[in-house]
Amino acid sequence: MAAHIRRRLRKGATTTAVAAAAVAALAASQAPAATLADGSAGSGDPKAAGEDTASGETDGAATGNSPYYTDLPPLVTPDRPGSSSDLPAAGSAEAGIPASVLAAYKQAERTVATTDPSCRLPWQLLAAIGKVESGQARGGRVDANGTASPRILGPALNGQGFALIRDTDGGAYDGDAVHDRAVGPMQFIPSTWASWGQDANGDGRKDPNNIYDAALAAGRYLCANDRDLALAADLDKAVLSYNRSSEYLRTVRSWFSYYQRGTHEIPDGTGTLPSTPSTPTPTPTPSPRPGTGSGPGVTPSPKPSSSKPGGKPSPGPSKPGGGGSTNPTPKPPTPKPTPPSETFGSLENAGTGPLRATAGQEFDERVSVLARNAVGAPLAKVPVAFTVTGDTGTLFAGGRKTVTVRTGTDGTATAPKLQAGEKAGQFTVTAVAGSGRPRTLTYAATVTARQADAIARTDEKALVAAPGEKFADAVTVKATYKDAVAAGVAVTATMVKDRPGVIDNDKGPYFKDADGKPVRTLTTLTTDADGQLRLPEIFADGNEGTYLLRLTTEGGASVVIELTVEAPQETVPEEPAPDETAAPDAPKP
């Protein structure tokens, strides 16, 4: 820490005495409440601070060892041991914590205390890390829900002055589909957020740019591997798992001690952003202008000569046959850099919910995306192409498979409504925006079969046939869904032995297939536009008895119909009754 302090003090100290006095004051006011793990001070080797490199907990770091701020706390700190629960009402913006950010840290402490009390996570540790990683969410620049606006992104971890971490999220979190970037107030890299992300504000999303989500994720991450953060060694391991740098550990420890002594709440958006990064942004080497340099095939341009020391340069070579100097070769115009606000950054889901609809119906939900620029602000007038892919027959309104919509002033573009096809199954909607390196989002969607919750016969007439004959009366049923006509619903008809339909019947009444062969199950039946279904002809074999026909709809509705096969009863003609009006027989002689 001493070396780091000396570097900081050299900027403003003009004498050795001033520097010595400042170091003494800092040492007196900022000594950590708990000592660093043995061997950590001045080490530069994470192992020296007690980091267990043999365990899985140190494979990588939450931030990908991305840059951080090295500014130290003010030299004059609150001398209020144990008073962090009763925050002073005023103080410098640099030392204060924005209201929403402070609330998120304390909420995370309470949550972890409930789910992992043995960790003993102090909110001041989250505050120290948040200060070093993002200056407390850029001084508390968050919206009413605690989401940083614009979002907070670290530099591309492309190996040029930083670690090399190739893209792991398709740019979903960081807007970079080539390399990962640390994201949000607590600067998680996407791969770590995928494992540790939390939804602490209850909005149904795990957003690394939301301070509530990020603070809880950081708390759980620091408590991993059964750490007890009241122990100095475990706390050091936890901090080093976040960023594997001894300088980082010392800086976090300084702010942790500062916040333990006391701090104060400030309004959101009024905090001061630290100014000293741990790693300078890499500067690309400028390319030599045409006609300059020393590479192969390059002729150095002659330097102007002077007739005498301190004199004016003499004119350059004259044109043949003329006097005066030649006109210098005009420099090519310097291309004007594109402002970050005009540079496409990312394409995100703008709150699209589950995409489900019944066959032939309109989807209630519409696909919506949000385009952001390179600094995370909404980007307007970006064309977004939406495409339906699949074999369900689903199309956008108007019968189109692809539509293009431009984003509005809020950066969102919403596709037209989807009309489900008649085939049940899965399909996808893909949104593509940007040129050169297009951003792509894919949404899964489902078409479910038409359903009925009730089915019944349209009449109650007994169904009877003689052995070997067909049933004279047709079977007609009607299906409904929530008391409305259920059109286009698939119906299965099966001859069964029991009313639940567990056992199929292999004798008795039957249908005929296209070849005239007996079949006792039909699966290609569908209700008409009125929800009605008239079954094909039913035939009886030579077995008499009472049989069951079970009809089942998509959706689980069913009806069982009795079929009777019996021989017709023989009828005996009755003798005519005597005619009582006839004349009596004449007497015999």
Side-chain angles (χ1 to χ4, degrees):
M1 177 183 288
H4 182 77
I5 295 170
R6 285 195 296 270
R7 287 197 301 273
R8 186 174 182 231
L9 292 174
R10 279 195 204 105
K11 297 179 182 179
T14 57
T15 67
T16 304
V18 174
V23 171
L26 182 61
S29 64
Q30 297 186 171
T35 59
L36 297 176
D38 293 342
S40 64
S43 166
D45 181 2
K47 296 177 184 177
E51 183 179 3
D52 183 6
T53 56
S55 71
E57 70 182 60
T58 58
D59 292 338
T63 65
N65 299 317
S66 60
Y68 54 91
Y69 293 109
T70 62
D71 297 33
L72 293 175
L75 293 176
V76 179
T77 62
D79 190 15
R80 296 162 58 90
S83 65
S84 292
S85 60
D86 300 318
L87 303 178
S92 69
E94 178 187 7
I97 301 177
S100 293
V101 178
L102 180 60
Y105 295 150
K106 290 188 171 184
Q107 176 179 298
E109 179 191 60
R110 292 192 299 270
T111 301
V112 174
T114 301
T115 60
D116 189 5
S118 62
C119 174
R120 295 192 282 184
L121 169 73
W123 67 260
Q124 294 91 340
L125 180 59
L126 296 174
I129 291 175
K131 180 70 174 181
V132 173
E133 290 295 346
S134 68
Q136 309 297 20
R138 290 202 189 105
R141 287 164 177 79
V142 296
D143 62 19
N145 296 319
T147 302
S149 181
R151 60 181 179 170
I152 302 171
L153 294 175
L157 299 175
N158 56 13
Q160 299 179 25
F162 312 115
L164 174 60
I165 303 180
R166 302 193 186 282
D167 175 66
T168 61
D169 66 329
Y173 293 120
D174 57 12
D176 191 332
V178 179
H179 298 96
D180 272 350
R181 299 170 181 256
V183 182
M186 305 305 280
Q187 289 289 277
F188 280 95
I189 55 173
S191 58
T192 305
W193 184 259
S195 300
W196 293 92
Q198 303 289 316
D199 176 19
N201 64 350
D203 65 354
R205 297 180 59 198
K206 297 178 181 180
D207 184 359
N209 274 290
N210 181 275
I211 185 58
Y212 291 94
D213 294 357
L216 181 57
R220 296 199 190 285
Y221 182 89
L222 293 167
C223 288
N225 298 294
D226 299 320
R227 296 190 186 105
D228 180 354
L229 299 181
L231 302 177
D234 277 7
L235 188 144
D236 290 352
K237 285 183 181 181
V239 175
L240 286 168
S241 75
Y242 217 86
N243 193 310
R244 298 173 64 175
S245 161
S246 292
E247 181 186 42
Y248 179 84
L249 174 61
R250 290 192 295 272
T251 308
V252 168
R253 274 290 202 168
S254 296
W255 281 104
F256 177 48
S257 175
Y258 181 88
Y259 290 137
Q260 281 187 313
R261 289 176 178 270
T263 184
H264 60 281
E265 179 183 298
I266 60 176
D268 288 347
T270 63
T272 301
L273 190 66
S275 59
T276 310
S278 63
T279 306
T281 302
T283 303
T285 303
S287 301
R289 294 198 305 269
T292 66
S294 58
V298 177
T299 303
S301 299
K303 296 181 180 179
S305 59
S306 178
S307 57
K308 57 182 179 179
K312 295 182 180 179
S314 62
S318 300
K319 295 181 181 179
S325 60
T326 59
N327 292 325
T329 303
K331 296 180 181 179
T334 303
K336 186 178 181 180
T338 303
S341 61
E342 299 177 8
T343 304
F344 196 101
S346 65
L347 190 67
E348 304 171 6
N349 183 0
T352 306
L355 296 169
R356 300 190 189 96
T358 302
Q361 303 300 310
E362 195 175 65
F363 281 75
D364 292 331
E365 194 74 19
R366 295 170 66 179
V367 178
S368 185
V369 299
L370 169 62
R372 295 185 186 272
N373 60 23
V375 297
L379 190 59
K381 299 182 180 180
V382 175
V384 182
F386 298 92
T387 303
V388 175
T389 304
D391 60 355
T392 64
T394 301
L395 297 170
F396 288 113
R400 294 171 293 174
K401 294 192 70 173
T402 299
V403 295
T404 300
V405 181
R406 288 185 176 272
T407 58
T409 55
D410 61 352
T412 63
T414 302
K417 283 200 170 185
L418 289 162
Q419 180 71 34
E422 291 298 334
K423 183 177 179 181
Q426 303 284 330
F427 70 96
T428 60
V429 179
T430 303
V432 181
S435 58
R437 185 169 59 83
R439 278 53 162 191
T440 301
L441 284 178
T442 300
Y443 299 80
T446 303
V447 175
T448 58
R450 296 173 186 262
Q451 298 183 355
D453 55 17
I455 185 171
R457 284 188 66 190
T458 57
D459 62 65
E460 298 180 356
K461 188 175 183 180
L463 299 169
V464 182
E469 302 293 333
K470 74 175 180 179
F471 287 81
D473 297 307
V475 177
T476 302
V477 295
K478 182 176 182 179
T480 57
Y481 182 70
K482 295 182 179 179
D483 297 327
V485 168
V489 175
V491 180
T492 298
T494 305
M495 302 296 178
V496 294
K497 289 184 178 180
D498 58 335
R499 286 186 174 274
V502 176
I503 304 173
D504 294 349
N505 209 338
D506 56 359
K507 65 179 181 179
Y510 60 89
F511 303 103
K512 287 184 179 181
D513 63 12
D515 297 326
K517 296 179 180 179
V519 292
R520 290 184 168 84
T521 297
L522 295 178
T523 59
T524 58
L525 307 174
T526 305
T527 59
D528 61 17
D530 297 323
Q532 294 193 7
L533 169 65
R534 181 186 176 95
L535 295 182
E537 292 181 325
I538 303 175
F539 299 86
D541 63 7
N543 299 287
E544 294 189 39
T546 299
Y547 298 90
L548 302 177
L549 168 63
R550 180 182 174 89
L551 302 179
T552 305
T553 71
E554 188 72 38
S558 64
V559 62
V560 176
I561 301 170
E562 289 189 356
L563 302 173
T564 302
V565 179
E566 62 182 11
Q569 296 180 354
E570 295 183 4
T571 57
V572 178
E574 297 181 1
E575 293 182 1
D579 187 358
E580 297 179 355
T581 61
D585 293 338
K588 294 181 181 180

